[in-house]
Amino acid sequence: QVQLVESGGGLVQAGGSLRLSCAASGRTFSTYVMAWFRQAPGKEREFVAAIIWSGGTTYYADSVKARFTISRDNAKNTVYLQMNSLKPEDTAVYYCAARLVSAYEYANWGQGTQVTVSS
């Protein structure tokens, strides 16, 4: 079964950077889409970024374009989210998720990692 383990969250000042990691196991992920979502207190979970494992096509929410970069390391089965120019409104629990390219919903989720951006 698919397991996703996030790491790299923490406290950072506005304008700073963090890199989140998502270690994936249990499958060959060449047929998967990997994504990052986030959920701030009192708000619904929202899409942040996604990458199609095979080929590397990426997608971003408008709110993070030009600041965040999603990537993957095939050898390590790990997906990264490089977050630059962080803003207080980026504060949230960030979740890694996975779905088959052919699927509509994300079936696999990590436990989440907290990102806090102070002003």
Side-chain angles (χ1 to χ4, degrees):
Q1 66 194 48
V2 174
Q3 287 191 319
L4 305 173
V5 179
E6 302 99 332
S7 61
L11 173 64
V12 64
Q13 287 189 331
S17 298
L18 279 175
R19 188 178 79 159
L20 305 183
S21 300
C22 173
S25 62
R27 286 285 188 277
T28 300
F29 289 93
S30 58
T31 57
Y32 275 72
V33 178
M34 307 297 292
W36 290 95
F37 289 77
R38 66 187 181 186
Q39 187 167 21
K43 295 188 177 180
E44 293 190 354
R45 185 170 59 196
E46 64 174 357
F47 169 79
V48 175
I51 185 167
I52 300 176
W53 196 284
S54 177
T57 301
T58 57
Y59 306 86
Y60 295 95
D62 288 343
S63 59
V64 306
K65 275 181 185 175
R67 298 190 299 123
F68 291 9
T69 302
I70 189 171
S71 62
R72 86 274 190 242
D73 184 323
N74 289 333
K76 296 182 178 180
N77 255 16
T78 298
V79 176
Y80 302 100
L81 185 68
Q82 177 67 45
M83 305 185 294
N84 299 328
S85 302
L86 282 162
K87 305 174 182 180
E89 51 264 43
D90 294 317
T91 294
V93 178
Y94 283 70
Y95 296 92
C96 179
R99 65 171 174 86
L100 287 166
V101 171
S102 58
Y104 179 74
E105 294 185 349
Y106 286 87
N108 305 104
W109 294 83
Q111 82 287 353
T113 185
Q114 177 70 47
V115 172
T116 303
V117 184
S118 62
S119 57

